Amino acid sequence: EEGPGASGAPSSKPIMEKRRRARINESLGQLKTLILDALKKDSSRHSKLEKADILEMTVKHLRNLQRHQLTGN
């Protein structure tokens, strides 16, 4: 058995789920803007990035930053 809401009964709390998705999408939108800016990418050419792409690019970028911090300090 999983935790509360893990099975995801659609009628349980649709408003809460809608809010949760809105928060995720809002944060992903901000992350997309930040990562494209950090990587000096043209956002108009990357308008169709998938959520997974945004997350992968962010993870790679943060790993690079950590690597530079370790070697640079």
Side-chain angles (χ1 to χ4, degrees):
E1 285 187 35
E2 289 139 28
S7 62
S11 62
S12 59
K13 299 226 178 184
I15 294 155
M16 294 296 284
E17 177 63 15
K18 206 171 184 179
R19 280 191 196 141
R20 188 184 72 83
R21 287 180 192 213
R23 283 175 53 213
I24 291 170
N25 288 330
E26 172 65 25
S27 291
L28 276 164
Q30 290 181 33
L31 205 50
K32 177 182 170 182
T33 303
L34 289 167
I35 195 66
L36 290 177
D37 189 46
L39 298 175
K40 304 285 188 270
K41 302 268 189 196
D42 182 4
S43 58
S44 64
R45 296 180 61 201
H46 293 83
S47 60
K48 283 292 180 190
L49 277 178
E50 290 185 13
K51 294 172 185 180
D53 296 324
I54 297 165
L55 292 172
E56 285 172 353
M57 289 167 74
T58 303
V59 169
K60 279 183 193 169
H61 183 61
L62 287 173
R63 286 212 171 111
N64 282 336
L65 288 177
Q66 285 180 329
R67 208 174 300 127
H68 287 301
Q69 279 182 340
L70 291 173
T71 57
N73 289 346

